[in-house]
Each structure stands twice: as C-alpha cells, then as structure tokens.
Amino acid sequence: MLFSKYNLTLKKLEEKEIEILRIWRNDPRISKFMLSSSSYISKEKQKKWFDSIKNSQNSFYYMIYKDDLLLGYSAIKNIDCKSKIGQPGGIINPSIKEPILACLKAFITYDFYFDKLGILATYAYIKNSNIKSHNYTKSLGYKQDESKNNGEFYYYTLNKDDYIAKRYRYLSIT
C-alpha cells in the first residue's frame, strides 16, 4: 500500500497489473486521447515500458483500488525536484460508470501529489479534440496557459491552493 484516503488505496504499479493497463491503453475509447503514440501496444512493448519506469526516481506509477475494485491507473512523471512540478496522467477503468468514483480517484491522486510528495504544481497537455478531458481538467482547478498551446495540445497548470479550493467545493456538496 502506498496511500489511502476516501476509502480508496493507491498501490505502486506491479508487473502483474501491466496487462490490464495495456488492455485499457489499447481501448480505442482511451487510446485516441493519449499523448503518446496511439498505435497498438504489444505485450512486449508494455513490458519494455514497465522495465523502463519501475525504478524511476522522478516519476510514480500506481493503480487505484476501492476494496478489490480496480478504479484506474495514475502517474506523475517528469518531476522537477527543484521546482517541485510534475506531469500527471491516468486512465479510469472503462467499466466504471459512477461519476463519484472518478472524482474520488482524482482526489486521492492529487492529495498524494500535493500532501505526500510535496509537489507544488502540476501541468498537463490535453489534446484539442479531447473535450471531456478539457472539462474534467478545468473542474479540478487547472488553468489554461494560452502562451504554451500549440495546434494539437492545450497546456494547463494546477497549483495546490486552486486544487484544494475545488476539492473542498466538491466534497462539501456530496
């Protein structure tokens, strides 16, 4: 166990879980919005990726559970230890239909970043075509930095105070 809150648990990504993650990453509903190559990910490619990240010193990769139910995958990578800024990413289990579980997945993830890792801010590149992610990102408190947008991606940043204000608002109405 890495971190628990909201009756959810973050656990470090283990090799035994990379196959389900590969299946999700190959799902066309997910892959079309991924920043990295949207080509098919083979078992060999997934294993090679896992071997390259499993001992990373500036990135964390984990799965999120509610009891035995796997809610999704999250990561924070490219952490700049000096400025304490990192790039998050994640996938919600495509079979999860309850919006509250998606919200709680985000809350435990960002609480971990800000409270346990000491991250001061996060940044995200969102494909222009991914309207759901734009809305979701803004709902967490991210602000768009138009000076860093390009033709394919929008650039967003989130600081701890903006996140806490949004989280407090959501938790006070649930």
Side-chain angles (χ1 to χ4, degrees), residues 80-127:
D80 181 318
C81 294
K82 195 173 191 177
S83 63
K84 298 191 181 217
I85 296 173
Q87 180 183 16
I91 298 172
I92 296 172
N93 179 339
S95 68
I96 300 297
K97 303 299 181 208
E98 298 84 0
I100 188 65
L101 291 178
C103 289
L104 292 175
K105 175 197 172 290
F107 294 157
I108 191 172
T109 299
Y110 284 91
D111 287 0
F112 177 71
Y113 299 159
F114 292 126
D115 297 338
K116 295 299 179 188
L117 296 180
I119 299 294
L120 299 177
T122 61
Y123 64 93
Y125 291 96
I126 309 291
K127 281 189 174 181

Side-chain angles (χ1 to χ4, degrees), residues 7-9 11 16-17 20 24 63-72 93 95-96 101:
N7 291 317
L8 304 180
T9 303
K11 294 181 180 178
K16 67 183 181 182
E17 296 163 318
I20 188 67
W24 293 347
M63 301 300 258
I64 302 168
Y65 289 87
K66 178 168 180 36
D67 303 317
D68 291 331
L69 176 64
L70 180 56
L71 293 181
N93 179 339
S95 68
I96 300 297
L101 291 178

Side-chain angles (χ1 to χ4, degrees), residues 157-170:
T157 59
L158 176 66
N159 67 48
K160 183 177 181 177
D161 291 339
D162 289 340
Y163 162 70
I164 288 172
K166 287 289 188 169
R167 181 192 67 193
Y168 177 78
R169 188 175 138 230
Y170 284 114

